[in-house]
């Protein structure tokens, strides 16, 4: 069954209503490795309700809010979901996330691009995360590579194919980074992160991971995304999460729990509030996140 442009782009998603509390906010931060060192005061605002000024939510927590579930696996989509790959994540923060709130997630397929037979397709889904009162908190774009669904536009008499999103820029290669941040990925990080809603057994069951070609369970890509955003907040924003206005990244390779993530950050010339970044696993000297972009308010 081939995918249908009209069916996917007109698919109706019911609003996702969700309550999250301070325990969820702390769990999110802990799953990213904050609090690994009990003497690091810069982690306390995100993991301890008694910190000066009270508990604060990390802006990337928006990625686990209002999520509609793994809907691409449903038979009516026509998607070859086994070959689906989360390629990029982009986010715009419109106002700081509360430490506790009732929210509503509005999801839709924003665009679908055919790369050609045997080359796959690219699907962009958009999620607006709002408060129950209708205040927009964040807009998320997830770029998914449908590796088994290329050539759909040539079927059924021809179907539309949208222009892809503007490409993310690669990080500089002619100069050293302006900031370097390291963060240990907890050995149990994937088991903690899955409690936030993504229960794919690839991140928990060694047998499932081996069947997928990995030596052991891998970390969720959105967890490494959150770790890199924390690096920007620490190094460039004075540890103030309210300053992060935009954060985009491309997923280059998986991260394994227990490894150390090094985030390299460059200032953008002429744009004092903009930064480019990438991240590598120190133990394997492996690039895992690339084409990163962050903007501060």
């Amino acid at each position: 069954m081939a995918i249908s442009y009209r069916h996917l782009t007109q698919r109706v998603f019911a609003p996702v209503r969700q309550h999250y509390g301070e325990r969820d906010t702390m769990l999110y931060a802990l799953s990213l490795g904050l609090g690994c060192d009990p003497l690091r005061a810069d982690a306390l605002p995100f993991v301890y309700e008694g910190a000066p000024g009270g508990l604060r939510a990390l802006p990337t927590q928006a990625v686990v809010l209002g999520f509609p579930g793994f809907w691409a696996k449903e038979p009516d989509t026509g998607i070859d979901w086994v070959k689906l790959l989360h390629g990029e994540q982009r986010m715009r923060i419109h106002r700081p996330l509360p430490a506790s709130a009732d929210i509503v997630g509005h999801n839709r397929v924003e665009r679908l691009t055919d790369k050609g037979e045997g080359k796959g397709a690219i699907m962009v889904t958009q999620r607006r995360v709002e408060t129950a009162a209708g205040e927009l908190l964040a807009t998320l774009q997830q770029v998914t590579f449908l590796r088994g669904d290329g050539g759909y536009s040539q079927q059924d008499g021809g179907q539309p194919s949208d222009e892809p999103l503007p490409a993310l820029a690669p990080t500089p290669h002619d100069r050293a980074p302006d900031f370097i941040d390291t963060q240990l990925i907890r050995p149990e990080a994937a088991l903690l992160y899955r409690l936030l809603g993504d229960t794919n057994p690839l991140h928990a069951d060694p047998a499932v991971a081996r069947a997928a070609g990995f030596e052991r369970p891998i970390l969720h890509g959105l967890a490494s995304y959150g770790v890199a955003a924390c690096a920007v907040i620490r190094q460039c924003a004075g540890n103030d999460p309210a300053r992060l206005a935009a954060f985009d990244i491309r997923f280059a390779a998986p991260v394994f729990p227990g490894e150390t993530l090094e985030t390299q950050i460059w200032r953008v010339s002429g744009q004092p509030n903009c930064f480019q970044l990438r991240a590598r696993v120190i133990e394997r000297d492996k690039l895992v996140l690339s084409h990163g972009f962050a903007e501060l308010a």
Side-chain angles (χ1 to χ4, degrees), residues 71 162 186 222 262:
W71 62 271
D162 297 317
R186 291 176 177 272
L222 286 177
E262 178 187 86

Side-chain angles (χ1 to χ4, degrees), residues 30-31 36 185-194 203 219 257-258:
L30 289 168
S31 73
C36 281
I185 306 298
R186 291 176 177 272
E188 71 279 18
L191 296 175
L192 289 171
Y193 194 88
R194 70 188 303 271
H203 306 293
L219 185 67

